[in-house]
Amino acid sequence: MKRQKRDRLERAHSKGYQAGILGHPKDLCPYKTTVDSRSQWLGGWREAMEDRAVTA
């Protein structure tokens, strides 16, 4: 059970990172109801924005 939850959060982070790399705004976060998933998605998005700023 814990592994499934961790995988779901890791996937949310990964999807957020992908959205950030592509330049999508954070308002497009698909996780509106689940706080943990939303925070993971936004964390991935912020990480991608930092990576884009470094490479730009």
Side-chain angles (χ1 to χ4, degrees), residues 1-6 8:
M1 186 74 153
K2 288 183 182 181
R3 181 169 174 80
Q4 288 179 342
K5 186 174 184 180
R6 185 172 53 243
R8 190 170 31 228

Side-chain angles (χ1 to χ4, degrees), residues 5-22:
K5 186 174 184 180
R6 185 172 53 243
D7 289 345
R8 190 170 31 228
L9 295 178
E10 288 174 6
R11 185 174 44 225
H13 186 273
S14 175
K15 293 291 185 181
Y17 187 87
Q18 291 173 8
I21 287 294
L22 294 174

Side-chain angles (χ1 to χ4, degrees), residues 36-51:
D36 290 339
S37 295
R38 181 172 174 80
S39 66
Q40 287 294 319
W41 191 93
L42 289 172
W45 184 86
R46 281 192 293 276
E47 188 178 322
M49 287 295 151
E50 290 174 5
D51 290 349

